[in-house]
Amino acid sequence: MIEKANNTIKISKSTVNGMCLIPPSKSYSIRALFAGLLNCGEAKLYNISKCEDVLATVEVIKKLGAHISIINESEVSMDILISGNCGFSNFNSKDISIINCGESGLCARMIIPILGLIKDNNKIYTVTGRGSLLKRPFNVVSFLKDFGMNIQLTKGSVPVLVGGNLKHYNGVIDLSLTTQVFSGLLMALPIVAGKSQLKIINKTSIPYVMATLEVLKDSNVEIKYSNDMDEFEIEGNQRYSFSKYIIENDWSSAAFILVAGAIAGGKIGIYGLKENSSQADSVIIEILKEIGVDVEFSEDVMYVSKSQEVYAPFKFDAKDAPDVVPTLVTLATNCKGISEITNIDRLKYKESNRVESLIVSFKNIGIDIWYETKNGGTMFIKGGKVKGGIVDSQNDHRIAMSLAVAGLVSEEGVIINNNPYCVRKSFPNFFDVLKEISNNN
């Protein structure tokens, strides 16, 4: 059962059953929008997410010369017709100085190298945002100076002052903290003159790089890379040229509903997920199968059923899928024994310090959970009964959703305060979907 009151939501013990539809991928939507911005001509983008991060990106690309009209829309998605600026070939930047990405770290980090395509050597742009984005680290963009860009940071975060023209370069790029800037660079470098040869070290979140490469391929932009993705070769003077792109639905959002089915089912079916997706968080299916959850994919529907009262504990390396960690913490509460999640230190730099947020929140609802520094940061979760209590969303969408799902198996209910509706950042109708599939136990 879900009870809404002002700025709090209470989720009580419930059984989940039924079918639901998950919103489009936020990650693919933003990448497709940037491809549409750089495209030489018109394109139809189908199934674009209407979450807050994507809507912020829409406003950014409109400011940078994209013309957008909505063809069709629902509560959580839209189909649009977008006319691009052909790599800023005839773009007038006279009246543009501030680029506001809202709370989207992906938008803000990807747009910085893309701004280097604007042919105005003396113009300085201010990339900024609001809320949680103001606390996230942006020192990771400093390496763009090697590519001819002028990058100025005052406190290591936004606002970032951006100038100069992007140029080709041969060098080494460190991906230990984020791949988001690199994804923006991969989208921008094919347009500049000359060939770039890049060597990658400290690889993380490689599925997100693959997502960028998928969008580029479908935009008829070619990038060569080694099988191990250690080396990239990017020829310049290419043009984006595509007329249609369809965004797949979001495995990051689906993970929360799938875990709800695993621990509070019932049987849950989710429409429209791509079974062999390269989205990082599709790994949730492997983990659910590993611990004994009933999982079935049939006729475009992913089904999950609760098969046991408690499951076997698991070990998971979050190096390539950091966003699934909050979901896995909720799952681990329903496992007998201690589950381990390694390589989580990057979670300290998300919308909140997720390492701290998860530990404080789940301790508050009765779960034994702790952190050790080994293996890139390791979280240990001892399965047990979720007592319930009052918790803080930390204004972090994934923290709020993980706590809401935990509330479904709680003894006393979980009350989430401090803007539980921050879920709109990625999953606008999350609580409506949860209410729809929940029955008071």
Side-chain angles (χ1 to χ4, degrees):
M1 184 170 69
I2 298 175
E3 303 170 66
K4 301 179 182 180
N6 296 327
N7 202 32
T8 66
I9 287 182
K10 182 178 181 180
I11 300 92
S12 301
K13 190 172 186 179
S14 305
T15 300
V16 295
N17 279 292
M19 306 292 292
C20 62
L21 181 66
I22 295 299
S25 166
K26 171 169 75 92
S27 177
Y28 275 84
S29 292
I30 291 175
R31 286 167 169 81
L33 286 167
F34 282 133
L37 169 69
L38 300 174
N39 193 36
C40 297
E42 287 187 342
K44 290 179 180 178
L45 305 183
Y46 294 96
N47 201 37
I48 291 279
S49 172
K50 286 175 67 177
C51 71
E52 289 180 348
D53 279 8
V54 172
L55 294 178
T57 306
V58 167
E59 293 306 310
V60 166
I61 67 170
K62 285 165 66 176
K63 200 169 192 177
L64 293 173
H67 297 282
I68 293 176
S69 58
I70 297 174
I71 303 169
N72 186 37
E73 64 179 323
S74 68
E75 180 186 5
V76 296
S77 67
M78 58 185 172
D79 303 332
I80 66 172
L81 179 66
I82 178 170
S83 179
N85 62 27
C86 202
F88 296 97
S89 57
N90 293 301
F91 179 67
N92 185 350
S93 64
K94 181 180 178 181
D95 299 323
I96 299 169
S97 58
I98 296 176
I99 306 296
N100 191 322
C101 288
E103 291 196 80
S104 176
L106 180 58
C107 172
R109 287 173 175 154
M110 284 189 70
I111 196 61
I112 291 174
I114 290 172
L115 288 173
L117 296 172
I118 302 175
K119 299 171 180 64
D120 188 341
N121 289 319
N122 299 316
K123 189 70 179 279
I124 299 294
Y125 302 91
T126 301
V127 176
T128 188
R130 60 177 176 81
S132 60
L133 188 64
L134 302 177
K135 301 175 183 178
R136 299 180 72 173
F138 270 75
N139 288 323
V140 290
V141 304
S142 297
F143 78 90
L144 292 174
K145 295 176 182 177
D146 295 332
F147 291 82
M149 298 192 68
N150 176 11
I151 305 293
Q152 299 176 48
L153 298 99
T154 52
K155 298 179 180 179
S157 59
V158 293
V160 181
L161 302 182
V162 181
N165 291 135
L166 189 71
K167 65 180 184 181
H168 67 93
Y169 177 72
N170 299 335
V172 178
I173 297 179
D174 186 337
L175 296 185
S176 57
L177 185 61
T178 180
T179 61
Q180 292 175 340
V181 187
F182 183 55
S183 282
L185 191 62
L186 288 177
M187 297 198 83
L189 279 176
I191 294 174
V192 304
K195 179 195 292 186
S196 296
Q197 293 180 306
L198 307 176
K199 183 174 178 58
I200 305 304
I201 60 172
N202 299 322
K203 291 180 297 184
T204 59
S205 295
I206 289 304
Y208 292 96
V209 178
M210 287 302 302
T212 305
L213 293 171
E214 282 183 25
V215 173
L216 287 168
K217 182 179 179 181
D218 288 339
S219 304
N220 291 307
V221 172
E222 182 182 6
I223 290 182
K224 297 177 182 178
Y225 53 92
S226 59
N227 290 335
D228 57 10
M229 299 192 78
D230 283 343
E231 296 178 352
F232 287 76
E233 183 178 292
I234 306 159
E235 292 282 357
N237 292 317
Q238 297 187 57
R239 289 163 60 95
Y240 281 72
S241 177
F242 69 104
S243 60
K244 181 177 77 170
Y245 190 82
I246 303 172
I247 286 81
E248 61 183 85
N249 286 348
D250 189 30
W251 274 97
S252 297
S253 298
F256 293 101
I257 304 301
L258 293 170
V259 167
I263 68 175
K267 186 175 184 178
I268 289 294
I270 300 179
Y271 297 108
L273 287 173
K274 184 179 178 182
E275 184 177 12
N276 298 311
S277 173
S278 34
Q279 289 185 52
D281 290 353
S282 64
V283 73
I284 187 67
I285 290 300
E286 294 176 25
I287 300 164
L288 292 174
K289 288 179 177 178
E290 176 189 324
I291 66 174
V293 178
D294 287 339
V295 177
E296 176 190 2
F297 191 85
S298 176
E299 297 181 355
D300 199 37
V301 180
M302 181 66 70
Y303 294 98
V304 167
S305 305
K306 182 176 181 179
S307 59
Q308 304 169 32
E309 283 304 311
V310 291
Y311 298 105
F314 59 87
K315 294 183 179 180
F316 179 71
D317 185 344
K319 180 180 179 182
D320 283 332
D323 286 346
V324 81
V325 171
T327 328
L328 294 182
V329 172
T330 303
L331 179 63
T333 65
N334 224 63
C335 296
K336 186 177 182 180
I338 299 173
S339 297
E340 299 180 27
I341 308 175
T342 59
N343 278 309
I344 65 167
D345 277 348
R346 283 183 301 146
L347 272 69
K348 296 176 182 178
Y349 310 107
K350 297 290 186 175
E351 282 80 352
S352 70
N353 178 338
R354 285 186 182 157
V355 174
E356 181 180 293
S357 296
L358 287 166
I359 290 173
V360 170
S361 299
F362 278 83
K363 279 186 175 180
N364 282 349
I365 59 176
I367 296 300
D368 194 4
I369 177 172
W370 66 97
Y371 166 85
E372 293 181 8
T373 57
K374 64 180 182 180
N375 297 323
T378 302
M379 187 172 287
F380 298 87
I381 310 99
K382 185 177 181 181
K385 289 188 179 297
V386 176
K387 181 179 179 183
I390 300 173
V391 290
D392 192 313
S393 76
Q394 303 296 329
N395 203 35
D396 186 328
H397 56 135
R398 301 199 194 281
I399 298 298
M401 288 188 279
S402 65
L403 291 167
V405 175
L408 296 172
V409 294
S410 64
E411 295 177 339
E412 301 173 4
V414 171
I415 298 172
I416 306 173
N417 61 23
N418 185 23
N419 189 25
Y421 297 104
C422 60
V423 299
R424 293 169 180 156
K425 190 176 195 296
S426 60
F427 194 159
N429 63 333
F430 170 74
F431 288 112
D432 293 332
V433 170
L434 206 60
K435 185 175 182 178
E436 182 180 334
I437 63 175
S438 300
N439 295 305
N440 191 25
N441 214 16

